[in-house]
């Protein structure tokens, strides 16, 4: 019975973390006049550095439908925050990257975001975040396998 309670508690904590992260993303997004999900798209593109990412890759990273990323990225493009380019190799693929305006905005926010991250993760010793991240990744993989089992053939 104890393990079942622990699993339920973990599920509640993860759901609570997700909600808190969404609220935080929404706050950062407001600085650009965009939505939280649009902010997440920008963060994924920022993590790619100078590389472009396809709509399909971003949708996989965020675990959302490609059509959602397409719709939201068009809005971000109209805001002048991302570039969307059709792939030269395959006209069905749209690649995205951040504009100079978006990069400058993120760079301006970096000191505030760094201070906030220092506060949030202050209790973690060196290496603990990597260990936690690895365990969460493993849990995510197992949950995906379980989802497929439940979905059946």
């Amino acid at each position: 019975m104890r393990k079942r309670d622990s699993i339920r508690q973990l599920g509640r904590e993860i759901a609570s973390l997700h909600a808190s992260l969404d609220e935080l993303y929404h706050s950062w997004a407001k600085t650009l006049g965009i939505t939280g999900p649009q902010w997440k798209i920008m963060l994924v593109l920022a993590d790619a550095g100078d590389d472009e990412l396809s709509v399909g890759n971003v949708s996989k990273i965020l675990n959302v439908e490609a059509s959602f990323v397409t719709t939201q990225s068009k809005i971000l493009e109209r805001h002048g925050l991302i570039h969307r380019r059709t792939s030269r190799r395959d006209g069905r693929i749209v690649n995205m990257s951040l504009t100079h305006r978006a990069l400058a905005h993120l760079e301006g926010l970096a000191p505030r975001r760094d201070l906030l991250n220092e506060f949030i993760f202050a209790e973690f010793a060196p290496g603990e975040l990597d260990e936690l991240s690895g365990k969460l990744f493993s849990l995510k993989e197992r949950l995906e396998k379980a989802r497929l089992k439940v979905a059946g053939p």
Side-chain angles (χ1 to χ4, degrees):
M1 187 78 155
R2 177 87 174 109
K3 188 172 185 176
R4 182 181 295 167
D5 292 341
S6 295
I7 291 169
R8 286 182 183 150
Q9 181 63 30
L10 177 62
R12 286 191 294 270
E13 295 299 338
I14 290 171
S16 178
L17 282 170
H18 183 264
S20 294
L21 276 172
D22 276 348
E23 288 177 26
L24 192 57
Y25 290 152
H26 178 72
S27 296
W28 290 117
K30 284 193 323 189
T31 66
L32 279 169
I34 61 175
T35 66
Q38 291 165 350
W39 176 258
K40 289 179 190 179
I41 291 170
M42 287 187 51
L43 290 181
V44 168
L45 294 175
D47 286 345
D50 292 334
D51 295 332
E52 292 183 332
L53 288 179
S54 71
V55 166
N57 285 338
V58 172
S59 72
K60 285 178 189 167
I61 291 167
L62 293 176
N63 198 29
V64 296
E65 294 292 326
S67 59
F68 177 79
V69 174
T70 296
T71 302
Q72 298 306 309
S73 65
K74 287 179 180 179
I75 295 168
L76 289 168
E77 184 178 42
R78 284 195 299 271
H79 276 80
L81 298 170
I82 68 168
H83 297 292
R84 290 171 38 89
R85 294 179 190 88
T86 302
S87 169
R88 290 184 184 139
R89 285 186 247 157
D90 186 338
R92 298 170 295 176
I93 297 173
V94 174
N95 293 314
M96 302 179 296
S97 62
L98 294 177
T99 63
H100 291 295
R101 175 179 172 233
L103 290 167
H105 187 80
L106 290 174
E107 184 66 29
L109 289 177
R112 288 176 48 205
R113 291 177 63 206
D114 290 345
L115 284 172
L116 193 60
N117 283 334
E118 286 178 32
F119 169 75
I120 293 169
F121 299 106
E123 295 182 17
F124 287 88
E128 283 184 330
L129 278 178
D130 291 335
E131 183 180 343
L132 177 60
S133 183
K135 288 184 184 287
L136 289 173
F137 179 81
S138 177
L139 181 60
K140 180 186 75 163
E141 294 289 310
R142 302 223 14 117
L143 284 168
E144 178 59 21
K145 288 177 183 175
R147 184 191 64 79
L148 293 172
K149 281 184 174 189
V150 170

